[in-house]
Structure formats: C-alpha cells, structure tokens
Amino acid sequence: MLELKAEPLTPEAFAPFGDVIDTRVSDSFAINAGRTRRYHDLARVETLGEGARTLVSIFVSQPVEVPLTIDFLERHPLGSQAFMPLHEERFLIVVAPPGETIDPGEVRAFVTDGRQGVNYRAGTWHAIQAVLDREGEFLVVDRGGQGHNCDEHPLAARIQLA
Ligand SMILES: NC(=O)N[C@@H](O)C(=O)O
Ligand code: NI
C-alpha cells in the first residue's frame, strides 16, 4: 500500500499534471466599462478525437473520510478535466504523469485550500473527485464525444493530510 501525505497545492508543483485555477495568482484586465475584471485563459481545455466537444457540468459530491484509501487512478486520454469549487470546498488530489503505466514513485497527493480549482491535462492519471469536510458542488469542464475517454489503472494508496 503506497502511503502518501497530501501537500498544499501550488501551481509549480502541479505543473506536470495540469493547471491550478486561482484568481489570487493570475493576471486580469478590466472589461465591461471597468465593472468586471477578467481572469483570462486560466486553463488549457483539450478536446480530442471524433465529435469532440466541451462539456460544462456540475458535480455534487459527498465528502470522503481521511485517511483516504484508493485502489485505482483514472485518465481521460481524449480530453482535459477541470474542477472548480463553487462554495470554497477543499478537495484531495492524487495524480501521476501521463503515460501507459504508473510509477508509484511519481504519484503525488495534494490538498486544495478551498479557493483553488484544477484542470487535469489530457492523459494525467488522477483519483476520482474527493471533496473534504462537507458535501461539495463543483463546476466541471471536460470532453464529450465519441470514443473511449476513461481508462483505469490499479493503484493501492492511502492518503493522509500533512
Ligand atoms: N466520471 C467522471 O465524470 N468523473 C471522474 O472523471 C472524476 O475525475 O471525478
Ligand atoms: Ni476524471
């Protein structure tokens, strides 16, 4: 059983896996006669393959227990997948770099601070959504269309908070 400690999420540490979506560390510019600030292009949405299109969904998830035990990671080879909390929900992230197999030594665990969202790059191995503390509501942007877009890979791991 792989034992992991979830480290605080940072854009730098998450860079091999995708984007962190966070207005606090992003540039913006004024629009709408100055009434609005646009935090522009914060994540790269990828939609690959036949009939690919972008889906906008809402996930309402029940909280997980910590330590979190998982037995697989999944990946979406044909598209990215972004999760943005709508009510400052914290969540656990377990990721491994894209590839046909998972090297346990390359698996990383993170915990968000409630304000952060993430966008998993196409092919990034990740645990299914794991919200902490209470029921969570997330805006999800990912890929629809033909073809198989969800592979699972066994990985037995227990994730603790630091
Ligand atoms: N299945 C689904 O839409 N969600 C998962 O991909 C996930 O990462 O939570
Ligand atoms: Ni997923």
Side-chain angles (χ1 to χ4, degrees), residues 74 76 81 83 120 126-128:
E74 65 168 34
H76 309 301
Q81 188 174 50
F83 292 88
Y120 299 122
H126 57 279
I128 56 174

Side-chain angles (χ1 to χ4, degrees), residues 36-106:
T36 302
R37 296 205 66 79
R38 182 176 173 129
Y39 292 82
H40 181 69
D41 195 11
L42 298 182
R44 189 157 66 93
V45 177
E46 300 165 278
T47 54
L48 311 168
E50 189 183 345
R53 65 189 185 93
T54 303
L55 304 178
V56 176
S57 309
I58 299 262
F59 283 24
V60 176
S61 295
Q62 298 311 309
V64 297
E65 296 293 320
V66 178
L68 172 68
T69 300
I70 62 173
D71 54 15
F72 72 95
L73 295 182
E74 65 168 34
R75 69 174 177 180
H76 309 301
L78 298 178
S80 55
Q81 188 174 50
F83 292 88
M84 192 66 201
L86 297 181
H87 311 291
E88 293 208 22
E89 298 92 338
R90 299 191 307 156
F91 59 104
L92 277 181
I93 293 165
V94 186
V95 285
E100 287 314 303
T101 59
I102 294 175
D103 172 355
E106 294 189 318

